Amino acid sequence: MKKNKFLYIIATIMMALTASSCDDYLDVNKNTDAPDYVEGYLYLAGIQQNYFGIYYDLRALCPLTQMMGTSSYSNFANNYYTAASDAGGEAWRMVYWNQGMNLENMIKQSEAAENWTLAGIGYAIKAYSWDFLAKIHSEAPMKQAFVPGLLSHEYDYQDEIFEQVRKWATTAIDYLQKEDKSNYGTRISQNDWIYGGDKDKWIRFAYTVIARNLASLTNKRDFKEKYYDQFMEAADKAFKSNDDNAMVKILGGGADAAQSAYNNFFGPYRGNLANVYWQHDFAVQTMTGTMPVYTAEGDKIPHTIKVVTEEGTIVEQTHPKYPHELAEKQIICDTLEDAGHFDPRPLLKLGTASGNDVAVETDRAALRKYYFKGSGFTGAAGPIGTAENFWGRTDAVSDARDGQGRWLYSNDAPYILTTYAELLFDIAEVQFKYGDKKVAYERWKEAISADMQFSAQFIKPGTLVTISEKVNNVMKDVTYHQGDKVDKATFLAIAQEYLDGPYVAGLSLSDFTLSHIMMQKYVALYPWGAPEVWVDLRKYHYDIEYTGDVPGFGNGWDKTTLNQKRDENVNKVYKGFYLAPAQVQNRRGSYNTRNNGSPCYRLRPRYNSEYMWNAKNLEALKPISGTADDYQCSMPWFAYPGDMPK
C-alpha cells in the first residue's frame, strides 16, 4: 500500500508540473524539494480510489452479518476481538489518512477558487465517508480531526456526526447547484471515477447520502416527527434509476495490470477471498428458500427420502441437498422448480456447488436444480457439507484457473458504494412503519426489480479452460470453469418469472411484512452492502428477545446464553437468523466471557492511531469506555429508541 500511495503522489506531482509553466512553478512553491501546492482536481482520482478500504473492512462486516463465514477474520465471526489489532480499522485509515487531508485540501482550495463543482463533489464524498465511519465505529474525533498541531483528539458522539453528515451533503448540493464559471475542460471528467463529472448525478448522490443516513434512525421514537419529512424530501430528490448507482470504476487487468491494486480487492488475481471466506449458511438458506424448521427444543428435523438399492431394497436416506425439513413459510423463495419460485440471484451472488462441467447453462429447468452450500461461522463445514469458495471450488483461486473472475468477484468489477435498489428498500421500510403500507409495497417490488437489473449488469458468461497442472506430483490436464454459469438474457428471463411469481407480484398486500422488506434488502446488498445490513441488524437488535427499550445482561442474554425470537414470532424481522449463542441447532455456542454475553455492536477504532496515541480520550467514552474489554458491545446511538446514555 505504501508503494501504491508513493507512486500516486509522484504521478500527481508530475501532472501538476506539466500543467504549468516553469515560472508558475517557481511562483507557487516554497518547498525546494517538492511542490507544496497541487491543483484541486488532481486529488480527486486518488480520493475516490481509496474507497477500496470499504472492501477491506467487509472482511470483518460480512462475518458479523452472517453473509460470510471465515477462518481469517474469525474473531469478528465470533463477535469478540481485542483492541490490539488494526483488523477492521480500514475505514479509520481511509477517512483520516488516505482521503484525509487530500480531501480537505481539495475542498478548501476549490472553495477559495470558487470552483463550486469540485468543492461540491468533495463535500458529497466527505458526507458519504463520514456516514460510513460513524455507522460502523459510532464515536469518532470529528471537530478536532484535522486541527493542526494536536497530538490527541477528543471524540464526538454519533448523533453529532450524523447531523454533520447531513450538513456536509446539503453543502454539496448547494455548491453543485451554484453557477460555476470555471472552465474545467476534461479535468474533472477524466479524474472522476464515479460519475465522470456529471453534476446532476452528484446532486442525486448527495440526497441519497442524506436519505440512507436518516434510514438508520427508523427505530427512534421521534422519527415520525423529527426525521420522516426530511427523509421523504431527500428520497424524492435522490437516485432515479440504476444509472445513478454510485460505483468506483477500476482498471482491472489481472497480471497485466501495472499494479496489483488496480484489480478489485475481491477478484481472483488478488485472491483476498481465496479459500478463507465462504458464503454463510444463513445467507444461502435465505437466498435459496431452504431455511430449516426447528422443534420447540431448537432442533432441526431430519429430512429423509426413500431410495431403492441395486438389490431392490427400499431404504431411507438423508436427502443429499436438503438434509433437514424446511420451514413452510420462506421469505425470499422456495425450492420448487416451477417458474416463479426460483430466485436467480444466487447464481451470481453465491458460489454454486454443482454445474462446473457446463460453461453457460441456458436451460432454466437445469439452472433451477443448482444447489449451494453454506459454511459455518469460522470454517467451511456447513449443514450440507463443505462449502466451496465464491468461484465454486475448494482449490486455490488464480488468474490461470479463474481468468478475470466473475460477477463482483472479478478483477475489473467496480467498488459499489450505494444503489437505486438500496434507496427503494429504505423508502419501503420508512413508508411501511410511518407512512403508507401500499406505497411501501410498490417501492419494495420496484427495489427487487432494480436489484435484478443491477445484478445482471456484471454477468460474465462462463467458459471452460483446460490447463496442465501437477496433481499428486503428476502433470495432468485439469478443466476449470471461468465466469458465471448463466448469461444475461437467461438470467433476466428467470428474473422476470420470479418478479411475476408468488414471492413478489403474487404476494398479497395483507401478507406483506417488514421481514419481506429487510430480508430482500439483505439479498440485494449481498455482499458489498454489509455495512448497511449491519446497521439494520443492530437497530432491530439482532431479533433478540427482550423487554423495554434495549436488550442487556439478564434481559436478552447472560454469560453463556442469548435469547432470540423464534421464527414463528410475527415480530421477528430476520427469519432464520440466529447468533452463535442462540439456543437452536448449530448455534449453541457462547461468546468470549469478556463480551459479558452481548453480541458486537460496533467496530473498535484503529489500533495504531487510537489505542497507541489517543487512549485517554478513548477511555473517557460513555456508557462503555473505549478501553474496556467489551467496548465493541457498546450500542451506537442509532440503536437506542431515545438518547444514548452518557
Side-chain angles (χ1 to χ4, degrees):
M1 295 312 303
K2 290 182 179 178
K3 179 182 178 183
N4 294 342
K5 187 176 181 64
F6 175 75
L7 291 173
Y8 176 74
I9 292 172
I10 294 299
T12 300
I13 292 170
M14 294 306 296
M15 291 175 70
L17 291 178
T18 56
S20 60
S21 69
C22 291
D23 289 340
D24 290 338
Y25 168 71
L26 293 173
D27 286 343
V28 300
N29 287 285
K30 301 177 180 64
N31 186 335
T32 59
D33 297 317
D36 53 23
Y37 179 86
V38 176
E39 290 288 345
Y41 72 91
L42 291 174
Y43 288 107
L44 185 57
I47 288 167
Q48 291 180 349
Q49 289 296 326
N50 274 297
Y51 275 128
F52 69 76
I54 294 175
Y55 277 51
Y56 272 60
D57 278 348
L58 289 183
R59 295 174 298 174
L61 297 170
C62 284
L64 281 165
T65 56
Q66 295 186 25
M67 286 186 166
M68 295 182 189
T70 176
S71 61
S72 176
Y73 270 42
S74 55
N75 285 341
F76 294 92
N78 286 324
N79 277 239
Y80 173 78
Y81 55 101
T82 65
S85 170
D86 279 346
E90 192 64 27
W92 210 267
R93 178 181 172 86
M94 180 187 78
V95 169
Y96 289 113
W97 175 248
N98 291 340
Q99 292 182 340
M101 283 305 300
N102 295 313
L103 181 54
E104 296 299 303
N105 288 341
M106 187 183 85
I107 290 173
K108 289 174 183 176
Q109 290 175 200
S110 299
E111 287 178 315
E114 296 187 350
N115 293 335
W116 304 121
T117 298
L118 191 57
I121 291 173
Y123 272 112
I125 290 171
K126 187 172 184 177
Y128 179 93
S129 297
W130 277 86
D131 181 69
F132 171 61
L133 179 80
K135 282 177 175 175
I136 64 174
H137 291 289
S138 195
E139 279 64 71
M142 179 186 66
K143 298 185 185 73
Q144 297 182 356
F146 302 109
V147 176
L150 287 183
L151 298 180
S152 63
H153 301 80
E154 294 178 2
Y155 277 67
D156 299 283
Y157 282 84
Q158 189 185 65
D159 55 343
E160 297 176 284
I161 301 175
F162 270 28
E163 184 176 1
Q164 187 60 59
V165 162
R166 299 192 293 274
K167 288 180 179 178
W168 284 327
T170 300
T171 300
I173 294 163
D174 291 342
Y175 281 174
L176 288 162
Q177 289 176 335
K178 291 182 75 166
E179 183 180 359
D180 193 338
K181 297 179 181 179
S182 301
N183 182 9
Y184 297 104
T186 60
R187 291 179 177 180
I188 293 182
S189 60
Q190 289 187 351
N191 287 278
D192 180 1
W193 290 71
I194 298 177
Y195 290 128
D198 189 321
K199 288 177 62 173
D200 291 337
K201 289 187 177 181
W202 275 110
I203 290 171
R204 291 194 286 273
F205 172 78
Y207 277 117
T208 301
V209 171
I210 295 173
R212 71 204 296 268
N213 175 272
L214 292 168
S216 62
L217 307 179
T218 58
N219 271 6
K220 289 290 185 185
R221 279 192 290 262
D222 56 359
F223 184 89
K224 177 68 173 179
E225 62 187 62
K226 189 172 182 180
Y227 302 112
Y228 176 82
D229 290 339
Q230 291 183 53
F231 172 86
M232 294 307 300
E233 180 182 359
D236 186 58
K237 297 176 181 179
F239 290 167
K240 301 302 179 188
S241 72
N242 275 321
D243 288 340
D244 293 330
N245 291 342
M247 304 181 292
V248 182
K249 304 176 186 69
I250 60 175
L251 294 176
D256 294 331
Q259 295 185 47
S260 172
Y262 288 174
N263 292 291
N264 186 289
F265 188 75
F266 280 177
Y269 180 74
R270 295 180 69 178
N272 288 303
L273 291 183
N275 293 323
V276 292
Y277 288 89
W278 312 270
Q279 56 234 14
H280 195 279
D281 63 7
F282 170 74
V284 171
Q285 291 163 358
T286 295
M287 285 195 242
T288 60
T290 54
M291 202 64 69
V293 64
Y294 297 92
T295 66
E297 293 74 30
D299 295 318
K300 298 177 182 177
I301 303 171
H303 178 203
T304 59
I305 54 175
K306 293 182 178 180
V307 178
V308 179
T309 65
E310 292 182 359
E311 293 78 18
T313 306
I314 299 177
V315 296
E316 283 198 351
Q317 293 182 356
T318 301
H319 194 289
K321 295 182 182 179
Y322 316 119
H324 304 107
E325 292 288 345
L326 303 181
E328 182 179 355
K329 188 173 183 179
Q330 304 285 337
I331 298 296
I332 304 298
C333 61
D334 60 26
T335 59
L336 297 177
E337 295 182 10
D338 298 336
H341 290 258
F342 175 66
D343 183 343
R345 287 174 292 181
L347 295 169
L348 307 178
K349 296 175 185 274
L350 305 178
T352 59
S354 61
N356 283 336
D357 56 341
V358 180
V360 178
E361 184 65 77
T362 58
D363 181 85
R364 298 184 204 176
L367 283 166
R368 287 195 289 267
K369 292 178 181 177
Y370 276 36
Y371 68 102
F372 308 83
K373 296 178 182 177
S375 75
F377 287 94
T378 59
I384 61 172
T386 302
E388 287 82 3
N389 58 33
F390 288 90
W391 292 269
R393 303 198 320 277
T394 56
D395 50 2
V397 177
S398 69
D399 267 7
R401 293 172 172 177
D402 298 281
Q404 293 302 309
R406 66 174 198 86
W407 200 58
L408 292 180
Y409 316 115
S410 65
N411 291 331
D412 63 352
Y415 294 121
I416 313 300
L417 302 184
T418 181
T419 65
Y420 178 53
E422 181 189 345
L423 172 69
L424 289 171
F425 281 119
D426 288 342
I427 296 171
E429 181 196 6
V430 169
Q431 288 286 56
F432 185 92
K433 297 178 72 170
Y434 300 104
D436 188 325
K437 184 179 177 182
K438 191 167 191 261
V439 172
Y441 177 64
E442 295 302 321
R443 297 297 87 77
W444 172 77
K445 289 189 290 185
E446 292 168 8
I448 302 169
S449 178
D451 184 55
M452 291 294 183
Q453 296 293 329
F454 164 82
S455 299
Q457 180 180 345
F458 306 103
I459 292 175
K460 295 180 180 294
T463 59
L464 297 178
V465 61
T466 300
I467 59 176
S468 183
E469 289 187 336
K470 185 174 287 188
V471 180
N472 296 326
N473 292 321
V474 177
M475 294 302 295
K476 292 185 178 181
D477 288 340
V478 183
T479 299
Y480 290 96
H481 186 282
Q482 297 181 352
D484 290 300
K485 306 286 174 60
V486 61
D487 62 16
K488 186 173 181 178
T490 305
F491 176 87
L492 288 174
I494 301 173
Q496 192 58 55
E497 292 174 354
Y498 173 74
L499 293 169
D500 294 336
Y503 284 88
V504 186
L507 183 74
S508 68
L509 182 61
S510 60
D511 290 331
F512 178 56
T513 67
L514 186 61
S515 291
H516 290 94
I517 297 171
M518 304 313 296
M519 293 185 72
Q520 281 283 1
K521 182 181 178 183
Y522 182 101
V523 174
L525 271 58
Y526 188 93
W528 60 268
E532 287 299 310
V533 169
W534 197 38
V535 168
D536 296 333
L537 285 167
R538 287 176 291 160
K539 77 184 181 187
Y540 290 113
H541 293 288
Y542 296 107
D543 280 313
I544 292 168
E545 189 79 68
Y546 65 93
T547 59
D549 283 348
V550 294
F553 189 84
N555 184 26
W557 60 74
D558 56 33
K559 281 281 188 181
T560 58
T561 61
L562 185 147
N563 301 315
Q564 284 184 275
K565 298 170 186 172
R566 297 294 298 269
D567 291 340
E568 56 269 23
N569 186 326
V570 295
N571 294 317
K572 182 171 183 177
V573 178
Y574 292 91
K575 307 297 186 184
F577 185 90
Y578 291 100
L579 293 166
Q583 299 308 295
V584 298
Q585 190 172 335
N586 300 128
R587 301 288 196 273
R588 290 180 173 134
S590 60
Y591 290 142
N592 189 295
T593 55
R594 294 180 181 88
N595 269 39
N596 215 24
S598 172
C600 180
Y601 270 90
R602 65 174 68 198
L603 298 190
R604 287 180 178 270
R606 190 171 180 85
Y607 171 72
N608 269 308
S609 65
E610 303 311 297
Y611 287 94
M612 289 189 69
W613 305 105
N614 205 24
K616 182 178 179 181
N617 288 307
L618 256 176
E619 188 176 13
L621 291 175
K622 305 291 184 181
I624 298 178
S625 170
T627 57
D629 285 339
D630 60 343
Y631 177 62
Q632 69 274 1
C633 301
S634 184
M635 292 179 190
W637 170 73
F638 71 71
Y640 285 90
D643 292 331
M644 186 172 75
K646 294 185 180 181

